Amino acid sequence: MAASSNAEETQLQDMEEDAGMEREMESDDGEGMGVENSDDEEDDSSEDEKENEAEIQRLEEQLSINAFDYNCHVDLIKLLRQEGELFRLRRARQKMSELFPLTEEIWLDWLKDEIRLTEEEPNRERVYELFEKAVKDYICPDIWLEYAQYSIGGMGSPGGVDKVRSIFERALTAVGLHMTKGETVWEAYREFENAMLSTLVAEPPKLAEYQAYMDYELKEGDPARIQITFERALAENCLVPDMWTKYTTYLDRQLKIKDLVLSSHDRAVRNCPWTMGLWKSYLLALERHGAEHQTISDVFEKALNAGFIQATDYVDIWQAYLDYLRRRVDFKSSKELEELRAAFSRSLEYMKQDVEERFSESGDPSCTIMQIWARIEALHCKNMQKARELWDSIMTKGNAKYANMWLEYYNLERSYGDPIHCRKALHRAVQCTLDYPEHVCEVLLNFERVEGSLEDWDVAVQKTETRLNRINEQRAKMAEKEANLARQEEEKAEQRRKAKGEKKNQKKGQKGMRAGEKRKAEPDDYQNEWDEESGKQRLTYMETETGLQQNDKPELRNDNNSVFISNLAYTLEEPEGKMRTLFETCGPLKEVRPVFSNKGTFKGYCYVQFESQASVPLALKLDRQEVEGRPMFVSPCVDKNTNPDFKVFKYNSSMEKHKIFVSGLPFSCTKEELEEVCKNHGTVKDVRLVTYRSGKPKGLAYVEFADEAQASQAVLKMDGMVLQDNKISVAISNPPRRNLKEKPGSSGSMTAMMPRQVYGSRGRGRTQLSLLPRSLHRPSGPANKAENGTATKPIAGTVNAAGDTGFEAQTKPLSNSDFARMLLNK
């Protein structure tokens, strides 16, 4: 403190000396205007200064006698400020502030003087402390306004913006309701926020920022501020269902003002009609605030026509409406009860005719609505006959195999029925249950222990034992079948390994073939995997041809440090050099191995091995990069012989509610252009354009959003949009399921083993059409049959009944002239 006061005194003394020098310079400048006038002015000023100094000393002496003389303090401060006695002025103000609360004028003068003194100082805390003292004396809007404006000058410091907002918030709390000057503080705060917004991006605040802002306001708990924050957010994000849900939930639980609550619910369903939860909340709010029955029914009918995207949504909205109808029923009267029963019947009919036809499912596989109806009939109406009819219907809809459904029915009978029907239900459960038969049998035995006779017990034991024995036999057969299938799979895998080894040996032997002789194609030469959705082609087996894995030192090969490059152009010149240049950015290279055919032509794929395994993830990021106009595919280097089930790319085949599927895109549309269109409807996490393996676009794309609500909004806004003269279609991503692998022993599993003559070089062709003339088709039977009592002549190149051929078809291929003769013979 002593050091601080000494520094302040030194600063004040320097400023007084500067002021004295300025006065001297002014007096020197005045000498040129007239010596006589200058001398007179100096005499007058010196006399004034002497008088003021005498008055100051008098006031100080007076205060030393009576420190509580308020007027004396005021006069002293006025004279010291007039004379520029800054050090003595600060001390006088401090003494007065210790004894009296200062007026607004005194504080403002003091604050302005201190602000001028600290303009060049990096530390502003001294002025902040003075402002904190000032705002405690009186409620002064001008002081608060000066405080806030001064804090704006410190925005550049860490936490400066938050400090400004905090001061403005305190100012509004203190003087915001001031009748004459409160509006100036509001106006200043508004101007500050506008200035802050102008420094940001010109677009409106994003959803995440609004969410954070609302969470803060909800924590603070000011209803007026919470409401205005929600309204601002919804004005710019009106198609975000979660925002409406959060707002209406707050209104339902906190404000509970009927007009405000119901109008907000109405706006919510009008903005997001596809969201079932908003309609359900609307119905509850109407009932909660005593709306008329016709009004609630009308809202429910509108909800049914809103077009929900899931079958379960219709089940939920029906349940909400049926719950409302049940609550309004006086079971002593028949009118409301009949209306409730009619609504239950209508709901079941609606599920069957409308929902199942649209979604190919009822949305209510457990028949929840029917269960509730049955329980209401049993509990409130004492009508067990109707309840049993409903449960019979439930069981006929595929639920009889589930133990939990039978136990639910048993509990209903146990509560409202009689032991006879309980026993019947459990006996049926023992016969029909497939998932947990042991549990159902145990429940039956326990029931007979409590309720049944010895005869009932014997029947129950016999039925449960018979049923469990049958179940165990079925399980044993199933286990044996699975073991056989696993054994067959192992045998087939072993056969494939042996066949592959033999083919490798044959390939090695073919190296000695004479020049120019063609090598017959093997099925494995053309076997590949093709991902239709992504357009990526990956070879099934790792090649072992010239230039691939035939290293002088095979022990140097390391698949963990390698990547597989495919889909390169066959005409690519110097593939090794180009791949080395491309992948050197990922890390030090150990080897680049392009694969060539026997004729020396490049086969479009190669292997790149790095010095370190850390380079592999960097190399995989180059996947789909174009090389001379073709997308290059980069995947991990995995030997399919040891990892036959390995697949690099596995795309989801189920519905992805946060992702949309776009079709009908112009082929010239780029990823960036599509992302620019989609980001207007939410946060885009990924855009994937579907292409052919040549890199040409298919006009399809998948766009992933941050959540389901944004994807739904994009579907509504983008479906039918015209993009570059193309009308695009947009839907929630729901890819078709992949074809499952052929079961062992099925005909499909033999496709790969069929000769090339039957299915072509790449397996079964796209068109499934045979390009061989019908007259040249070989007979399907084992031998040629006689036609009209005469035996047909063997056709050249076909097999006759004896197994002979017209000429050596298996050793000598047919020429064009042979085909011509065969056609002429027909």
Side-chain angles (χ1 to χ4, degrees):
M1 293 294 292
S4 176
S5 62
N6 292 334
E8 293 175 357
E9 293 177 3
T10 303
Q11 181 181 5
L12 288 171
Q13 291 173 1
D14 293 339
M15 295 183 68
E16 290 175 358
E17 292 177 0
D18 294 340
M21 292 177 64
E22 290 178 0
R23 288 195 294 270
E24 292 178 1
M25 292 176 64
E26 290 176 358
S27 64
D28 293 340
D29 293 339
E31 291 178 358
M33 298 175 62
V35 177
E36 295 179 358
N37 293 337
S38 175
D39 293 339
D40 294 339
E41 290 175 359
E42 287 180 1
D43 293 338
D44 294 338
S45 63
S46 61
E47 291 179 0
D48 293 338
E49 290 177 0
K50 291 178 181 179
E51 292 177 0
N52 291 339
E53 181 63 29
E55 182 65 19
I56 290 172
Q57 290 180 359
R58 187 187 68 79
L59 293 173
E60 289 178 344
E61 292 175 358
Q62 181 69 23
L63 289 175
S64 64
I65 298 172
N66 182 13
F68 289 92
D69 190 339
Y70 186 86
N71 293 329
C72 189
H73 280 288
V74 174
D75 293 339
L76 178 59
I77 291 173
K78 183 177 181 181
L79 281 174
L80 290 174
R81 193 167 191 267
Q82 181 179 347
E83 290 297 316
E85 298 284 347
L86 301 179
F87 173 73
R88 297 167 68 185
L89 175 63
R90 176 184 290 172
R91 187 168 54 189
R93 285 167 170 166
Q94 289 175 348
K95 287 183 178 180
M96 184 177 181
S97 67
E98 292 173 359
L99 300 174
F100 303 101
L102 304 185
T103 64
E104 184 175 1
E105 292 77 10
I106 297 175
W107 271 119
L108 287 174
D109 290 339
W110 189 1
L111 291 167
K112 290 177 181 178
D113 291 340
E114 293 293 341
I115 289 173
R116 284 196 296 269
L117 287 175
T118 57
E119 281 181 352
E120 303 299 329
E121 296 182 13
N123 186 7
R124 301 166 59 90
E125 293 302 322
R126 183 183 305 155
V127 181
Y128 285 136
E129 292 175 1
L130 194 61
F131 269 113
E132 289 296 332
K133 293 179 181 179
V135 297
K136 292 178 181 178
D137 281 354
Y138 295 105
I139 301 298
C140 302
D142 290 339
I143 294 179
W144 276 109
L145 184 60
E146 189 71 24
Y147 191 8
Q149 290 177 343
Y150 177 74
S151 66
I152 292 175
M155 285 172 49
S157 60
V161 176
D162 292 337
K163 188 175 185 63
V164 175
R165 286 198 173 101
S166 175
I167 293 172
F168 267 117
E169 293 290 341
R170 292 172 57 198
L172 292 176
T173 303
V175 298
L177 298 179
H178 196 281
M179 296 297 293
T180 58
K181 296 183 178 181
E183 63 176 352
T184 59
V185 181
W186 283 101
E187 184 68 17
Y189 195 9
R190 184 181 67 82
E191 291 295 334
F192 167 74
E193 291 294 351
N194 285 336
M196 293 300 299
L197 287 175
S198 64
T199 62
L200 303 176
V201 184
E203 63 184 11
K206 298 294 182 64
L207 183 61
E209 286 78 358
Y210 269 125
Q211 291 283 7
Y213 192 10
M214 285 185 295
D215 290 340
Y216 168 77
E217 293 296 348
L218 288 170
K219 185 178 179 181
E220 292 296 318
D222 188 343
R225 297 184 62 82
I226 293 172
Q227 182 186 355
I228 194 62
T229 304
F230 269 115
E231 291 293 345
R232 283 181 56 196
L234 289 168
E236 299 173 5
N237 300 275
C238 59
L239 298 179
V240 180
D242 291 342
M243 186 82 71
W244 284 107
T245 301
K246 199 170 186 178
Y247 183 35
T248 54
T249 300
Y250 171 77
L251 296 177
D252 288 336
R253 297 178 180 177
Q254 301 296 329
L255 294 187
K256 301 180 181 180
I257 302 174
K258 178 179 178 181
D259 294 338
L260 179 60
V261 170
L262 297 184
S263 65
S264 299
H265 277 288
D266 182 65
R267 287 188 294 142
V269 297
R270 288 169 63 192
N271 279 281
C272 305
W274 66 90
T275 307
M276 183 279 305
L278 295 177
W279 288 100
K280 185 176 179 180
S281 300
Y282 192 11
L283 292 175
L284 291 172
L286 289 169
E287 181 183 2
R288 193 177 295 117
H289 291 280
E292 295 182 358
H293 173 62
Q294 187 61 43
T295 302
I296 298 177
S297 298
D298 292 343
V299 171
F300 170 70
E301 294 298 333
K302 291 180 181 178
L304 290 181
N305 297 322
F308 301 139
I309 61 176
Q310 293 181 348
T312 54
D313 291 341
Y314 289 94
V315 178
D316 291 339
I317 198 66
W318 267 109
Q319 283 183 333
Y321 183 60
L322 292 170
D323 291 344
Y324 155 72
L325 293 178
R326 197 273 308 164
R327 286 191 287 266
R328 68 187 294 268
V329 171
D330 181 5
F331 288 94
K332 298 178 182 179
S333 174
S334 61
K335 181 179 179 181
E336 290 83 1
L337 179 58
E338 292 303 321
E339 184 178 0
L340 176 62
R341 285 171 171 166
F344 269 112
S345 299
R346 182 191 167 198
S347 67
L348 299 179
E349 191 68 21
Y350 187 90
M351 293 298 166
K352 181 178 180 180
Q353 294 185 354
D354 295 75
V355 178
E356 289 189 13
E357 290 182 1
R358 179 180 175 186
F359 297 97
S360 299
E361 59 170 326
S362 66
D364 189 15
S366 299
C367 301
T368 307
I369 293 178
M370 296 179 70
Q371 290 188 43
I372 295 173
W373 188 6
R375 189 164 289 275
I376 290 174
E377 292 287 350
L379 173 63
H380 296 290
C381 304
K382 312 302 180 184
N383 188 355
M384 281 302 298
Q385 181 179 356
K386 180 63 176 179
R388 290 173 184 132
E389 291 177 0
L390 291 170
W391 267 103
D392 286 340
S393 179
I394 291 173
M395 292 306 182
T396 58
K397 294 183 179 297
N399 292 299
K401 58 185 177 181
Y402 299 116
N404 66 314
M405 299 298 291
W406 283 109
L407 294 179
E408 184 71 22
Y409 177 34
Y410 164 73
N411 290 330
L412 182 71
E413 289 286 357
R414 190 73 171 166
S415 301
Y416 309 107
D418 53 66
I420 296 176
H421 286 89
C422 288
R423 182 176 290 108
K424 289 182 178 179
L426 290 176
H427 278 282
R428 293 173 62 191
V430 169
Q431 296 297 325
C432 301
T433 300
L434 298 179
D435 52 353
Y436 298 106
E438 294 87 352
H439 182 57
V440 174
C441 292
E442 183 180 357
V443 173
L444 174 59
L445 295 176
N446 289 334
F447 173 78
E448 296 298 355
R449 287 189 177 99
V450 177
E451 300 284 346
S453 62
L454 177 60
E455 182 180 357
D456 296 330
W457 170 261
D458 292 338
V459 172
V461 170
Q462 182 180 358
K463 284 194 173 183
T464 55
E465 288 180 353
T466 303
R467 178 60 175 167
L468 292 178
N469 290 335
R470 187 180 308 148
I471 290 292
N472 291 331
E473 291 176 0
Q474 294 175 353
R475 290 174 179 172
K477 291 181 181 179
M478 184 63 65
E480 183 180 359
K481 183 178 180 180
E482 292 178 355
N484 292 334
L485 292 176
R487 185 169 57 254
Q488 292 177 5
E489 279 294 320
E490 292 179 359
E491 293 176 355
K492 291 182 179 180
E494 183 64 25
Q495 292 177 359
R496 286 195 296 268
R497 284 194 291 270
K498 291 181 180 180
K500 188 171 182 62
E502 294 176 357
K503 290 173 184 176
K504 288 182 180 179
N505 295 332
Q506 292 177 4
K507 291 179 181 178
K508 291 180 181 179
Q510 289 174 355
K511 292 182 179 179
M513 296 173 63
R514 62 180 181 273
E517 184 176 355
K518 294 184 178 179
R519 179 175 63 88
K520 291 186 178 180
E522 300 292 342
D524 284 350
D525 290 349
Y526 305 95
Q527 198 172 30
N528 54 49
E529 284 183 348
W530 176 255
D531 190 333
E532 295 181 356
E533 180 181 345
S534 65
K536 293 188 175 183
Q537 186 182 22
R538 299 290 188 242
L539 297 183
T540 303
Y541 297 104
M542 296 174 63
E543 299 287 348
T544 56
E545 302 219 19
T546 304
L548 184 57
Q549 301 295 349
Q550 294 180 357
N551 299 334
D552 295 335
K553 298 180 179 181
E555 65 274 7
L556 298 179
R557 168 186 168 185
N558 189 344
D559 290 346
N560 294 330
N561 293 9
S562 304
V563 292
F564 176 60
I565 318 299
S566 61
N567 203 47
L568 299 173
Y570 294 158
T571 57
L572 185 66
E573 297 181 0
E574 299 182 1
E576 181 177 354
K578 292 185 177 180
M579 293 297 103
R580 185 176 295 276
T581 302
L582 188 61
F583 286 92
E584 279 179 346
T585 58
C586 304
L589 295 176
K590 186 173 183 179
E591 188 177 7
V592 177
R593 302 189 298 275
V595 180
F596 297 93
S597 66
N598 292 333
K599 294 183 179 181
T601 58
F602 180 51
K603 299 189 69 175
Y605 55 94
C606 66
Y607 293 82
V608 176
Q609 184 171 342
F610 295 94
E611 295 286 349
S612 172
Q613 188 175 354
S615 302
V616 172
L618 300 177
L620 294 176
K621 293 181 179 180
L622 299 179
D623 184 48
R624 283 305 189 97
Q625 180 170 327
E626 287 194 359
V627 177
E628 295 190 0
R630 290 174 64 90
M632 171 183 65
F633 300 153
V634 185
S635 59
C637 185
V638 177
D639 191 344
K640 286 298 185 71
N641 293 329
T642 58
N643 298 275
D645 297 327
F646 176 80
K647 287 188 178 181
V648 178
F649 302 98
K650 295 182 179 180
Y651 291 94
N652 200 341
S653 60
S654 60
M655 178 177 288
E656 301 168 286
K657 298 181 182 179
H658 65 289
K659 188 182 294 186
I660 64 173
F661 173 68
V662 186
S663 60
L665 287 170
F667 294 151
S668 59
C669 181
T670 64
K671 178 179 178 180
E672 291 74 16
E673 292 174 347
L674 182 58
E675 183 177 2
E676 187 68 22
V677 174
C678 294
K679 74 178 184 180
N680 295 328
H681 310 291
T683 302
V684 178
K685 298 181 65 176
D686 184 37
V687 176
R688 179 164 57 85
L689 296 178
V690 183
T691 64
Y692 294 98
R693 60 180 177 178
S694 62
K696 294 183 179 180
K698 290 186 175 182
L700 309 175
Y702 290 86
V703 182
E704 182 180 357
F705 285 90
D707 52 40
E708 301 176 13
Q710 296 179 5
S712 300
Q713 178 181 349
V715 171
L716 291 176
K717 291 294 184 179
M718 294 177 59
D719 188 33
M721 177 188 293
V722 177
L723 188 63
Q724 298 181 12
D725 297 332
N726 281 38
K727 185 176 181 181
I728 63 175
S729 298
V730 184
I732 296 295
S733 175
N734 189 13
R737 293 185 177 180
R738 306 290 183 198
N739 292 331
L740 300 177
K741 293 183 179 180
E742 298 292 345
K743 295 182 179 180
S746 63
S747 60
S749 63
M750 298 298 294
T751 304
M753 305 301 296
M754 295 298 289
R756 181 177 176 181
Q757 297 93 314
V758 177
Y759 289 115
S761 62
R762 296 175 183 251
R764 190 178 296 273
R766 283 187 178 182
T767 62
Q768 304 291 308
L769 298 178
S770 174
L771 300 182
L772 192 66
R774 293 180 179 177
S775 61
L776 304 184
H777 282 185
R778 296 179 180 178
S780 58
N784 292 334
K785 294 182 179 181
E787 182 179 357
N788 292 334
T790 60
T792 58
K793 297 180 180 180
I795 302 176
T798 61
V799 183
N800 57 22
D804 299 325
T805 59
F807 47 84
E808 297 294 329
Q810 300 299 324
T811 59
K812 182 178 179 182
L814 297 178
S815 64
N816 291 338
S817 59
D818 294 331
F819 278 103
R821 282 197 301 272
M822 293 162 63
L823 290 172
L824 291 175
N825 289 337
K826 180 184 177 183

